[in-house]
Amino acid sequence: MKINTLERCKTLLGTFVEIELKGAVDDDELIALSNSLFDEIERIHNLFSFHSELSEISALNRQALDLANRAEDDEKPLTLTVSEDLNKVLSLALQLNQFTRGLYDITVAPSLILNEQLPNHLALTLVNRHCTLSLGNSCHITCKDGEVTITKPLCIDLGGIAKGYAVDCALKKVPEHIFCRINAGGDLAINQWKNEEVAVKYNKRGSALRTVKMQNRALATSGNYLRDKKSAFVNPLTGKHIKFKGSMSVFSADVMLSDALTKAMILSSRAQRRQLAKYYNAQAIKINRLGFVKLYY
């Protein structure tokens, strides 16, 4: 039977999600599989979307922020049972927060709201970055066996790490005999990745691309090149937005991990980047705005 190819694109996770499938199967099977993959990505989107007031993460944030309304002598923490998906994502995020000594933190949502990069449907009162620093951070969260404990008012945005997790979940549904490439706005997974090449963007110019070989099945790239003024990267320790020119790309076994590591490495020193790459068995590529490459293994 001949090799059939299917390419589809949908808007999910706040970006364009592109799926490419190839295999010695008929078109109907490829279409059915693509529908299944998009359904799985949409399921994760509905769980973790900060923009949706109905998502699990929004429900958690409302209860976490409500800690500010408790009586002064009430020091009882908030304890919640969360989904298996949220447990997995939070567990990795909190582990990475500890490893980076706070440089990677999923509680920077208030800073992004203040910078008008996230909606303020939770009605947070934010005048300046000092207001954001008065809220809790990842140190005030524990997550174990599907139970989350929060000890201080805070607000979580899973953003890119949730996008990466959605791609990972979708890729697990693909049979081994079918080639699959999923790209969700820079979060990329290829099941048959060996000898595959990808183009990594490092500048807003259309020609600003570097072709590299895949080093693992997952690749995530982060950069500010599509933002004219407002940086998407926040130092959680100071609340300040970080200027970063170029791009940071990370290869690893999982897109969720790769996406999280791009943010951690952007905020880290060169020595810390090497430590992160070694500890998580990842490979990183930093490309500056002129196209010069620096590797971290």
Side-chain angles (χ1 to χ4, degrees):
M1 186 175 184
K2 72 172 185 176
I3 301 297
N4 287 323
T5 301
L6 176 70
E7 295 182 9
R8 295 183 64 189
C9 180
K10 279 191 175 184
T11 304
L12 289 167
L13 306 167
T15 189
F16 293 111
V17 178
E18 303 167 302
I19 293 178
E20 177 188 358
L21 299 172
K22 287 191 291 188
V25 297
D26 59 36
D27 290 338
D28 288 343
E29 185 172 340
L30 292 182
I31 292 171
L33 177 58
S34 69
N35 287 335
S36 174
L37 303 187
F38 279 125
D39 287 346
E40 179 67 358
I41 292 170
E42 187 171 8
R43 183 183 72 83
I44 302 301
H45 169 89
N46 291 336
L47 282 176
F48 296 153
S49 173
F50 189 93
H51 294 73
S52 170
E53 296 184 42
L54 301 177
S55 68
E56 182 178 14
I57 198 64
S58 290
L60 184 151
N61 281 332
R62 280 192 295 272
Q63 294 182 73
L65 290 169
D66 195 49
L67 286 172
N69 299 321
R70 64 186 177 183
E72 291 185 7
D73 59 347
D74 183 4
E75 297 182 358
K76 185 179 179 181
L78 171 68
T79 301
L80 298 169
T81 299
V82 299
S83 66
E84 181 181 351
D85 296 295
L86 184 52
N87 183 75
K88 289 178 180 178
V89 176
L90 283 179
S91 296
L92 175 64
L94 296 177
Q95 181 196 74
L96 194 54
N97 174 264
Q98 290 185 334
F99 191 87
T100 60
R101 297 181 181 179
L103 277 180
Y104 179 81
D105 201 310
I106 53 174
T107 65
V108 295
S111 295
L112 297 175
I113 292 171
L114 183 64
N115 211 33
E116 298 180 343
Q117 291 170 300
L118 284 177
N120 192 13
H121 58 73
L122 295 167
L124 279 171
T125 302
L126 299 169
V127 179
N128 52 44
R129 65 184 178 88
H130 298 293
C131 297
T132 68
L133 294 173
S134 67
L135 293 168
N137 55 44
S138 289
C139 293
H140 301 101
I141 308 171
T142 58
C143 180
K144 186 177 181 181
D145 299 330
E147 190 169 273
V148 173
T149 301
I150 300 173
T151 58
K152 190 174 181 179
L154 50 78
C155 190
I156 295 170
D157 173 38
L158 296 175
I161 189 173
K163 184 173 65 171
Y165 178 70
V167 174
D168 288 331
C169 289
L171 194 69
K172 290 177 181 177
K173 289 182 166 291
V174 180
E176 291 184 1
H177 64 280
I178 293 180
F179 171 91
C180 178
R181 179 196 298 253
I182 305 174
N183 186 5
D187 279 7
L188 173 73
I190 304 177
N191 61 346
Q192 300 170 22
W193 58 270
K194 292 183 178 179
N195 300 318
E196 288 291 315
E197 292 186 340
V198 292
V200 176
K201 194 169 181 62
Y202 60 87
N203 198 305
K204 64 181 179 181
R205 289 183 291 108
S207 60
L209 297 168
R210 283 278 186 177
T211 300
V212 297
K213 279 192 174 183
M214 289 290 288
Q215 302 297 310
N216 210 324
R217 70 174 181 175
L219 169 66
T221 298
S222 292
N224 271 326
Y225 40 78
L226 296 179
R227 300 177 183 273
D228 293 329
K229 295 181 180 179
K230 297 179 179 180
S231 171
F233 307 115
V234 180
N235 184 327
L237 305 179
T238 64
K240 293 182 178 180
H241 289 256
I242 304 301
K243 292 182 180 180
F244 178 76
K245 295 181 179 180
S247 66
M248 181 69 74
S249 301
V250 177
F251 295 98
S252 79
D254 299 295
V255 190
M256 173 173 64
L257 175 60
S258 289
D259 189 284
L261 286 176
T262 61
K263 278 73 173 181
M265 289 192 176
I266 284 172
L267 297 171
S268 299
S269 66
R270 292 180 181 178
Q272 289 172 320
R273 288 169 184 166
R274 294 189 185 95
Q275 290 174 351
L276 283 165
K278 183 177 181 180
Y279 183 81
Y280 285 102
N281 193 26
Q283 298 81 38
I285 302 174
K286 180 180 180 293
I287 308 177
N288 71 12
R289 63 187 180 87
L290 300 176
F292 293 104
V293 176
K294 179 71 176 178
L295 304 178
Y296 299 94
Y297 289 89

mmCIF file of all heavy atoms in Angstrom, residues 22 179 181 190-199 211-217 251:
data_model
loop_
_atom_site.group_PDB
_atom_site.id
_atom_site.type_symbol
_atom_site.label_atom_id
_atom_site.label_comp_id
_atom_site.label_asym_id
_atom_site.label_seq_id
_atom_site.Cartn_x
_atom_site.Cartn_y
_atom_site.Cartn_z
ATOM 1 N N LYS A 22 1.821 10.383 8.511
ATOM 2 C CA LYS A 22 2.198 9.614 7.319
ATOM 3 C C LYS A 22 2.179 8.134 7.658
ATOM 4 O O LYS A 22 2.650 7.725 8.718
ATOM 5 C CB LYS A 22 3.609 10.002 6.833
ATOM 6 C CG LYS A 22 3.694 11.346 6.162
ATOM 7 C CD LYS A 22 5.030 11.556 5.464
ATOM 8 C CE LYS A 22 6.164 11.703 6.447
ATOM 9 N NZ LYS A 22 7.432 12.099 5.762
ATOM 10 N N PHE A 179 3.970 7.742 11.190
ATOM 11 C CA PHE A 179 4.825 8.890 11.491
ATOM 12 C C PHE A 179 3.937 10.050 11.914
ATOM 13 O O PHE A 179 2.905 10.330 11.298
ATOM 14 C CB PHE A 179 5.634 9.284 10.251
ATOM 15 C CG PHE A 179 6.383 10.585 10.397
ATOM 16 C CD1 PHE A 179 7.684 10.598 10.878
ATOM 17 C CD2 PHE A 179 5.786 11.794 10.050
ATOM 18 C CE1 PHE A 179 8.372 11.799 11.019
ATOM 19 C CE2 PHE A 179 6.464 12.999 10.180
ATOM 20 C CZ PHE A 179 7.763 12.996 10.663
ATOM 21 N N ARG A 181 4.124 14.212 13.418
ATOM 22 C CA ARG A 181 4.779 15.454 13.837
ATOM 23 C C ARG A 181 3.688 16.407 14.327
ATOM 24 O O ARG A 181 2.730 16.692 13.597
ATOM 25 C CB ARG A 181 5.539 16.086 12.673
ATOM 26 C CG ARG A 181 6.242 17.408 13.006
ATOM 27 C CD ARG A 181 6.624 18.158 11.740
ATOM 28 N NE ARG A 181 7.551 17.387 10.935
ATOM 29 C CZ ARG A 181 8.853 17.664 10.813
ATOM 30 N NH1 ARG A 181 9.357 18.696 11.441
ATOM 31 N NH2 ARG A 181 9.624 16.909 10.052
ATOM 32 N N ILE A 190 8.047 14.707 17.551
ATOM 33 C CA ILE A 190 8.087 13.791 16.407
ATOM 34 C C ILE A 190 8.338 12.398 16.949
ATOM 35 O O ILE A 190 9.340 12.168 17.642
ATOM 36 C CB ILE A 190 9.207 14.173 15.417
ATOM 37 C CG1 ILE A 190 9.051 15.626 14.949
ATOM 38 C CG2 ILE A 190 9.203 13.227 14.220
ATOM 39 C CD1 ILE A 190 10.171 16.101 14.032
ATOM 40 N N ASN A 191 7.448 11.459 16.672
ATOM 41 C CA ASN A 191 7.632 10.120 17.229
ATOM 42 C C ASN A 191 8.803 9.377 16.575
ATOM 43 O O ASN A 191 9.599 8.727 17.260
ATOM 44 C CB ASN A 191 6.334 9.302 17.132
ATOM 45 C CG ASN A 191 5.844 9.104 15.705
ATOM 46 O OD1 ASN A 191 6.292 9.760 14.776
ATOM 47 N ND2 ASN A 191 4.891 8.186 15.538
ATOM 48 N N GLN A 192 8.954 9.491 15.271
ATOM 49 C CA GLN A 192 10.090 8.882 14.567
ATOM 50 C C GLN A 192 11.098 10.004 14.257
ATOM 51 O O GLN A 192 11.231 10.454 13.121
ATOM 52 C CB GLN A 192 9.593 8.180 13.298
ATOM 53 C CG GLN A 192 8.587 7.065 13.590
ATOM 54 C CD GLN A 192 7.912 6.524 12.333
ATOM 55 O OE1 GLN A 192 8.424 6.658 11.228
ATOM 56 N NE2 GLN A 192 6.747 5.897 12.505
ATOM 57 N N TRP A 193 11.807 10.454 15.293
ATOM 58 C CA TRP A 193 12.561 11.697 15.220
ATOM 59 C C TRP A 193 13.979 11.571 14.662
ATOM 60 O O TRP A 193 14.569 12.574 14.217
ATOM 61 C CB TRP A 193 12.645 12.317 16.615
ATOM 62 C CG TRP A 193 13.282 11.417 17.654
ATOM 63 C CD1 TRP A 193 12.624 10.525 18.441
ATOM 64 C CD2 TRP A 193 14.656 11.321 17.988
ATOM 65 N NE1 TRP A 193 13.511 9.872 19.266
ATOM 66 C CE2 TRP A 193 14.771 10.342 19.018
ATOM 67 C CE3 TRP A 193 15.812 11.961 17.552
ATOM 68 C CZ2 TRP A 193 15.991 9.993 19.587
ATOM 69 C CZ3 TRP A 193 17.028 11.622 18.118
ATOM 70 C CH2 TRP A 193 17.108 10.647 19.127
ATOM 71 N N LYS A 194 14.542 10.378 14.663
ATOM 72 C CA LYS A 194 15.933 10.220 14.227
ATOM 73 C C LYS A 194 16.082 10.600 12.754
ATOM 74 O O LYS A 194 15.283 10.218 11.909
ATOM 75 C CB LYS A 194 16.409 8.790 14.472
ATOM 76 C CG LYS A 194 16.523 8.473 15.960
ATOM 77 C CD LYS A 194 17.079 7.071 16.199
ATOM 78 C CE LYS A 194 17.219 6.808 17.694
ATOM 79 N NZ LYS A 194 17.732 5.445 17.974
ATOM 80 N N ASN A 195 17.127 11.388 12.485
ATOM 81 C CA ASN A 195 17.463 11.898 11.143
ATOM 82 C C ASN A 195 16.492 12.979 10.651
ATOM 83 O O ASN A 195 16.605 13.427 9.502
ATOM 84 C CB ASN A 195 17.516 10.769 10.111
ATOM 85 C CG ASN A 195 18.568 9.724 10.461
ATOM 86 O OD1 ASN A 195 19.680 10.066 10.874
ATOM 87 N ND2 ASN A 195 18.218 8.457 10.303
ATOM 88 N N GLU A 196 15.568 13.403 11.502
ATOM 89 C CA GLU A 196 14.667 14.493 11.129
ATOM 90 C C GLU A 196 15.339 15.847 11.381
ATOM 91 O O GLU A 196 16.092 16.004 12.344
ATOM 92 C CB GLU A 196 13.362 14.427 11.931
ATOM 93 C CG GLU A 196 12.447 13.299 11.526
ATOM 94 C CD GLU A 196 11.857 13.497 10.143
ATOM 95 O OE1 GLU A 196 11.401 14.618 9.835
ATOM 96 O OE2 GLU A 196 11.846 12.526 9.364
ATOM 97 N N GLU A 197 15.071 16.807 10.512
ATOM 98 C CA GLU A 197 15.600 18.158 10.666
ATOM 99 C C GLU A 197 14.454 19.139 10.881
ATOM 100 O O GLU A 197 13.355 18.953 10.361
ATOM 101 C CB GLU A 197 16.412 18.573 9.441
ATOM 102 C CG GLU A 197 17.718 17.804 9.270
ATOM 103 C CD GLU A 197 18.552 18.337 8.131
ATOM 104 O OE1 GLU A 197 17.984 19.028 7.237
ATOM 105 O OE2 GLU A 197 19.771 18.088 8.110
ATOM 106 N N VAL A 198 14.737 20.178 11.663
ATOM 107 C CA VAL A 198 13.723 21.207 11.932
ATOM 108 C C VAL A 198 14.364 22.582 11.781
ATOM 109 O O VAL A 198 15.582 22.734 11.934
ATOM 110 C CB VAL A 198 13.125 21.061 13.351
ATOM 111 C CG1 VAL A 198 12.293 19.811 13.466
ATOM 112 C CG2 VAL A 198 14.223 21.076 14.403
ATOM 113 N N ALA A 199 13.544 23.573 11.513
ATOM 114 C CA ALA A 199 14.016 24.958 11.406
ATOM 115 C C ALA A 199 13.670 25.692 12.695
ATOM 116 O O ALA A 199 12.510 25.720 13.113
ATOM 117 C CB ALA A 199 13.368 25.648 10.215
ATOM 118 N N THR A 211 18.583 25.589 10.614
ATOM 119 C CA THR A 211 18.188 24.185 10.481
ATOM 120 C C THR A 211 19.058 23.321 11.371
ATOM 121 O O THR A 211 20.284 23.401 11.322
ATOM 122 C CB THR A 211 18.319 23.715 9.022
ATOM 123 O OG1 THR A 211 17.464 24.517 8.197
ATOM 124 C CG2 THR A 211 17.904 22.264 8.886
ATOM 125 N N VAL A 212 18.413 22.517 12.230
ATOM 126 C CA VAL A 212 19.142 21.654 13.157
ATOM 127 C C VAL A 212 18.542 20.253 13.110
ATOM 128 O O VAL A 212 17.369 20.074 12.753
ATOM 129 C CB VAL A 212 19.102 22.192 14.603
ATOM 130 C CG1 VAL A 212 19.790 23.539 14.711
ATOM 131 C CG2 VAL A 212 17.656 22.293 15.107
ATOM 132 N N LYS A 213 19.331 19.257 13.471
ATOM 133 C CA LYS A 213 18.842 17.885 13.556
ATOM 134 C C LYS A 213 18.181 17.648 14.908
ATOM 135 O O LYS A 213 18.654 18.129 15.928
ATOM 136 C CB LYS A 213 19.992 16.893 13.361
ATOM 137 C CG LYS A 213 20.370 16.660 11.916
ATOM 138 C CD LYS A 213 21.310 15.464 11.783
ATOM 139 C CE LYS A 213 21.562 15.145 10.318
ATOM 140 N NZ LYS A 213 22.417 13.934 10.147
ATOM 141 N N MET A 214 17.109 16.903 14.887
ATOM 142 C CA MET A 214 16.451 16.537 16.138
ATOM 143 C C MET A 214 17.394 15.686 16.982
ATOM 144 O O MET A 214 18.034 14.760 16.474
ATOM 145 C CB MET A 214 15.166 15.765 15.864
ATOM 146 C CG MET A 214 14.033 16.593 15.274
ATOM 147 S SD MET A 214 13.323 17.788 16.444
ATOM 148 C CE MET A 214 12.417 16.710 17.568
ATOM 149 N N GLN A 215 17.474 16.010 18.278
ATOM 150 C CA GLN A 215 18.318 15.264 19.207
ATOM 151 C C GLN A 215 17.511 14.329 20.099
ATOM 152 O O GLN A 215 18.068 13.495 20.801
ATOM 153 C CB GLN A 215 19.105 16.248 20.094
ATOM 154 C CG GLN A 215 19.980 17.218 19.323
ATOM 155 C CD GLN A 215 21.067 16.516 18.551
ATOM 156 O OE1 GLN A 215 21.799 15.687 19.099
ATOM 157 N NE2 GLN A 215 21.190 16.823 17.261
ATOM 158 N N ASN A 216 16.204 14.503 20.059
ATOM 159 C CA ASN A 216 15.286 13.673 20.840
ATOM 160 C C ASN A 216 13.898 13.864 20.237
ATOM 161 O O ASN A 216 13.742 14.619 19.278
ATOM 162 C CB ASN A 216 15.333 14.051 22.323
ATOM 163 C CG ASN A 216 15.028 12.892 23.251
ATOM 164 O OD1 ASN A 216 14.204 12.038 22.943
ATOM 165 N ND2 ASN A 216 15.696 12.846 24.396
ATOM 166 N N ARG A 217 12.897 13.245 20.822
ATOM 167 C CA ARG A 217 11.577 13.328 20.189
ATOM 168 C C ARG A 217 10.870 14.650 20.458
ATOM 169 O O ARG A 217 9.882 14.978 19.785
ATOM 170 C CB ARG A 217 10.703 12.174 20.654
ATOM 171 C CG ARG A 217 10.264 12.239 22.097
ATOM 172 C CD ARG A 217 9.284 11.111 22.414
ATOM 173 N NE ARG A 217 8.828 11.170 23.787
ATOM 174 C CZ ARG A 217 7.911 10.369 24.300
ATOM 175 N NH1 ARG A 217 7.360 9.442 23.541
ATOM 176 N NH2 ARG A 217 7.546 10.478 25.571
ATOM 177 N N PHE A 251 15.972 20.283 23.516
ATOM 178 C CA PHE A 251 15.582 18.927 23.149
ATOM 179 C C PHE A 251 15.519 18.071 24.404
ATOM 180 O O PHE A 251 16.410 18.141 25.263
ATOM 181 C CB PHE A 251 16.605 18.291 22.204
ATOM 182 C CG PHE A 251 16.722 18.939 20.857
ATOM 183 C CD1 PHE A 251 17.726 19.860 20.602
ATOM 184 C CD2 PHE A 251 15.841 18.611 19.837
ATOM 185 C CE1 PHE A 251 17.855 20.448 19.355
ATOM 186 C CE2 PHE A 251 15.953 19.192 18.588
ATOM 187 C CZ PHE A 251 16.969 20.111 18.340
#
